[in-house]
Tab-separated table of all heavy atoms in Angstrom:
chain	number	residue	atom	x	y	z
K	88	ASP	N	10.258	4.168	-12.277
K	88	ASP	CA	9.431	3.305	-11.415
K	88	ASP	C	8.170	4.080	-11.021
K	88	ASP	O	7.800	4.142	-9.849
K	88	ASP	CB	10.273	2.889	-10.191
K	88	ASP	CG	9.542	1.917	-9.255
K	88	ASP	OD1	8.589	1.247	-9.708
K	88	ASP	OD2	9.931	1.846	-8.079
K	91	TYR	N	8.485	6.558	-8.061
K	91	TYR	CA	9.264	6.143	-6.871
K	91	TYR	C	10.757	6.362	-7.110
K	91	TYR	O	11.599	5.811	-6.405
K	91	TYR	CB	8.927	4.701	-6.468
K	91	TYR	CG	7.573	4.631	-5.754
K	91	TYR	CD1	6.395	4.454	-6.469
K	91	TYR	CD2	7.491	4.824	-4.387
K	91	TYR	CE1	5.159	4.436	-5.815
K	91	TYR	CE2	6.263	4.806	-3.725
K	91	TYR	CZ	5.098	4.615	-4.443
K	91	TYR	OH	3.899	4.623	-3.802
K	128	VAL	N	9.832	8.964	-0.443
K	128	VAL	CA	10.755	7.917	-0.873
K	128	VAL	C	12.148	8.361	-0.437
K	128	VAL	O	12.780	9.185	-1.087
K	128	VAL	CB	10.675	7.706	-2.396
K	128	VAL	CG1	11.482	6.492	-2.803
K	128	VAL	CG2	9.220	7.561	-2.839
K	131	HIS	N	16.073	5.976	-1.499
K	131	HIS	CA	16.829	6.220	-2.727
K	131	HIS	C	16.267	7.444	-3.413
K	131	HIS	O	15.155	7.859	-3.133
K	131	HIS	CB	16.722	5.003	-3.663
K	131	HIS	CG	15.319	4.459	-3.766
K	131	HIS	ND1	14.837	3.461	-2.952
K	131	HIS	CD2	14.266	4.797	-4.575
K	131	HIS	CE1	13.582	3.185	-3.245
K	131	HIS	NE2	13.195	4.001	-4.230
K	172	PHE	N	14.555	-5.170	-8.325
K	172	PHE	CA	13.952	-5.362	-9.649
K	172	PHE	C	14.864	-6.161	-10.564
K	172	PHE	O	14.912	-5.956	-11.774
K	172	PHE	CB	13.598	-4.000	-10.268
K	172	PHE	CG	12.595	-3.221	-9.451
K	172	PHE	CD1	12.607	-1.833	-9.429
K	172	PHE	CD2	11.607	-3.882	-8.715
K	172	PHE	CE1	11.678	-1.116	-8.675
K	172	PHE	CE2	10.672	-3.175	-7.962
K	172	PHE	CZ	10.710	-1.792	-7.940
K	191	PHE	N	16.875	-1.065	-5.534
K	191	PHE	CA	15.802	-1.253	-6.513
K	191	PHE	C	16.401	-1.104	-7.908
K	191	PHE	O	17.444	-1.686	-8.177
K	191	PHE	CB	14.623	-0.319	-6.169
K	191	PHE	CG	13.971	-0.757	-4.878
K	191	PHE	CD1	14.382	-0.212	-3.669
K	191	PHE	CD2	13.032	-1.768	-4.875
K	191	PHE	CE1	13.849	-0.671	-2.467
K	191	PHE	CE2	12.495	-2.243	-3.681
K	191	PHE	CZ	12.901	-1.694	-2.474
K	195	GLN	N	17.664	4.015	-9.369
K	195	GLN	CA	17.269	4.392	-7.999
K	195	GLN	C	18.435	4.181	-7.022
K	195	GLN	O	18.388	3.291	-6.166
K	195	GLN	CB	16.040	3.553	-7.566
K	195	GLN	CG	14.769	3.879	-8.359
K	195	GLN	CD	13.660	2.852	-8.167
K	195	GLN	OE1	13.849	1.675	-8.406
K	195	GLN	NE2	12.494	3.296	-7.728
K	225	ARG	N	3.494	8.672	4.136
K	225	ARG	CA	3.747	7.248	4.017
K	225	ARG	C	5.214	7.139	3.645
K	225	ARG	O	5.688	7.854	2.754
K	225	ARG	CB	2.850	6.645	2.934
K	225	ARG	CG	3.042	5.152	2.657
K	225	ARG	CD	3.903	4.929	1.435
K	225	ARG	NE	3.958	3.506	1.049
K	225	ARG	CZ	4.780	3.028	0.127
K	225	ARG	NH1	5.584	3.837	-0.539
K	225	ARG	NH2	4.805	1.743	-0.167
K	227	ASP	N	8.172	5.156	2.155
K	227	ASP	CA	8.522	4.041	1.287
K	227	ASP	C	9.694	3.238	1.846
K	227	ASP	O	10.685	3.830	2.318
K	227	ASP	CB	8.923	4.618	-0.090
K	227	ASP	CG	9.020	3.577	-1.170
K	227	ASP	OD1	8.002	2.941	-1.478
K	227	ASP	OD2	10.136	3.395	-1.722
K	228	VAL	N	9.608	1.913	1.769
K	228	VAL	CA	10.662	0.981	2.246
K	228	VAL	C	11.519	1.549	3.373
K	228	VAL	O	12.741	1.493	3.339
K	228	VAL	CB	11.567	0.460	1.101
K	228	VAL	CG1	10.796	-0.489	0.219
K	228	VAL	CG2	12.184	1.560	0.258
K	231	GLN	N	14.533	-0.087	5.044
K	231	GLN	CA	15.763	-0.342	4.289
K	231	GLN	C	16.768	0.822	4.311
K	231	GLN	O	17.850	0.726	3.727
K	231	GLN	CB	15.409	-0.713	2.841
K	231	GLN	CG	14.677	-2.044	2.780
K	231	GLN	CD	14.280	-2.488	1.381
K	231	GLN	OE1	13.186	-3.001	1.211
K	231	GLN	NE2	15.123	-2.310	0.389
K	269	GLU	N	6.397	1.814	5.329
K	269	GLU	CA	6.302	0.531	4.621
K	269	GLU	C	7.467	-0.335	5.078
K	269	GLU	O	8.628	0.033	4.929
K	269	GLU	CB	6.396	0.754	3.111
K	269	GLU	CG	6.174	-0.526	2.331
K	269	GLU	CD	6.724	-0.471	0.899
K	269	GLU	OE1	7.634	0.343	0.622
K	269	GLU	OE2	6.252	-1.242	0.069
K	271	TRP	N	8.526	-4.247	4.874
K	271	TRP	CA	8.313	-5.652	4.475
K	271	TRP	C	8.913	-6.615	5.512
K	271	TRP	O	8.484	-7.754	5.632
K	271	TRP	CB	8.920	-5.916	3.091
K	271	TRP	CG	8.086	-5.335	1.994
K	271	TRP	CD1	8.022	-4.024	1.618
K	271	TRP	CD2	7.156	-6.041	1.143
K	271	TRP	NE1	7.108	-3.867	0.589
K	271	TRP	CE2	6.594	-5.079	0.271
K	271	TRP	CE3	6.769	-7.375	1.025
K	271	TRP	CZ2	5.636	-5.427	-0.701
K	271	TRP	CZ3	5.819	-7.725	0.049
K	271	TRP	CH2	5.263	-6.751	-0.802
K	308	LYS	N	7.666	-13.994	-5.170
K	308	LYS	CA	6.207	-13.895	-5.208
K	308	LYS	C	5.614	-14.528	-6.483
K	308	LYS	O	4.466	-14.927	-6.512
K	308	LYS	CB	5.774	-12.433	-5.105
K	308	LYS	CG	6.031	-11.586	-6.335
K	308	LYS	CD	5.407	-10.211	-6.190
K	308	LYS	CE	5.505	-9.426	-7.483
K	308	LYS	NZ	4.933	-8.078	-7.386
K	343	HIS	N	-0.798	-0.342	-4.485
K	343	HIS	CA	-0.390	-0.237	-5.894
K	343	HIS	C	0.650	-1.295	-6.293
K	343	HIS	O	1.039	-1.350	-7.460
K	343	HIS	CB	0.198	1.159	-6.127
K	343	HIS	CG	1.444	1.392	-5.317
K	343	HIS	ND1	1.427	1.473	-3.935
K	343	HIS	CD2	2.736	1.509	-5.664
K	343	HIS	CE1	2.655	1.633	-3.489
K	343	HIS	NE2	3.474	1.663	-4.528
K	344	ASP	N	1.153	-2.079	-5.332
K	344	ASP	CA	2.125	-3.123	-5.642
K	344	ASP	C	1.494	-4.508	-5.639
K	344	ASP	O	2.177	-5.496	-5.937
K	344	ASP	CB	3.240	-3.144	-4.580
K	344	ASP	CG	4.122	-1.890	-4.597
K	344	ASP	OD1	4.263	-1.264	-5.668
K	344	ASP	OD2	4.647	-1.550	-3.516
K	401	GLU	N	9.212	-3.888	-12.642
K	401	GLU	CA	9.468	-5.131	-11.908
K	401	GLU	C	9.035	-6.339	-12.743
K	401	GLU	O	9.777	-7.307	-12.925
K	401	GLU	CB	8.703	-5.120	-10.573
K	401	GLU	CG	8.898	-6.402	-9.785
K	401	GLU	CD	7.981	-6.522	-8.550
K	401	GLU	OE1	6.746	-6.520	-8.713
K	401	GLU	OE2	8.518	-6.634	-7.447
K	428	ARG	N	2.157	-6.215	-10.629
K	428	ARG	CA	1.736	-4.959	-10.023
K	428	ARG	C	0.769	-4.170	-10.915
K	428	ARG	O	-0.003	-3.355	-10.429
K	428	ARG	CB	2.960	-4.108	-9.670
K	428	ARG	CG	3.934	-4.794	-8.737
K	428	ARG	CD	4.890	-3.815	-8.066
K	428	ARG	NE	5.793	-3.148	-8.998
K	428	ARG	CZ	6.745	-2.305	-8.611
K	428	ARG	NH1	6.920	-2.052	-7.329
K	428	ARG	NH2	7.542	-1.737	-9.490
K	432	ARG	N	-2.850	-1.218	-11.291
K	432	ARG	CA	-2.517	0.084	-11.881
K	432	ARG	C	-3.321	0.413	-13.126
K	432	ARG	O	-3.087	1.442	-13.764
K	432	ARG	CB	-1.014	0.113	-12.180
K	432	ARG	CG	-0.201	-0.065	-10.908
K	432	ARG	CD	1.280	-0.166	-11.142
K	432	ARG	NE	1.988	-0.324	-9.865
K	432	ARG	CZ	3.291	-0.308	-9.712
K	432	ARG	NH1	4.087	-0.124	-10.772
K	432	ARG	NH2	3.846	-0.485	-8.526
T	2	LIG	O1	7.875	-1.086	-2.634
T	2	LIG	C1	8.803	-1.847	-1.911
T	2	LIG	C2	9.129	-3.128	-2.437
T	2	LIG	O2	9.914	-3.836	-1.825
T	2	LIG	C3	8.540	-3.555	-3.711
T	2	LIG	O3	9.535	-3.757	-4.635
T	2	LIG	C4	7.764	-4.763	-3.490
T	2	LIG	O4	8.598	-5.759	-2.997
T	2	LIG	C5	7.180	-5.240	-4.751
T	2	LIG	O5	6.527	-4.191	-5.351
T	2	LIG	C6	6.202	-6.323	-4.479
T	2	LIG	O6	5.942	-6.890	-5.687
T	2	LIG	C7	7.997	0.281	-2.608
T	2	LIG	C8	6.909	0.904	-3.456
T	2	LIG	O7	5.669	0.641	-2.880
T	2	LIG	C9	7.045	0.409	-4.853
T	2	LIG	O8	6.009	0.863	-5.680
T	2	LIG	C10	8.384	0.878	-5.363
T	2	LIG	O9	8.599	0.338	-6.641
T	2	LIG	C11	9.528	0.461	-4.439
T	2	LIG	O10	9.254	0.714	-3.082
T	2	LIG	C12	10.776	1.237	-4.775
T	2	LIG	O11	10.623	2.559	-4.403
Side-chain angles (χ1 to χ4, degrees):
D88 183 21
Y91 284 89
V128 188
H131 45 268
F172 299 148
F191 292 92
Q195 293 167 304
R225 178 260 187 189
D227 192 62
V228 289
Q231 294 180 221
E269 185 200 23
W271 285 77
K308 72 173 187 181
H343 64 293
D344 293 331
E401 178 189 61
R428 302 198 295 183
R432 300 175 180 187

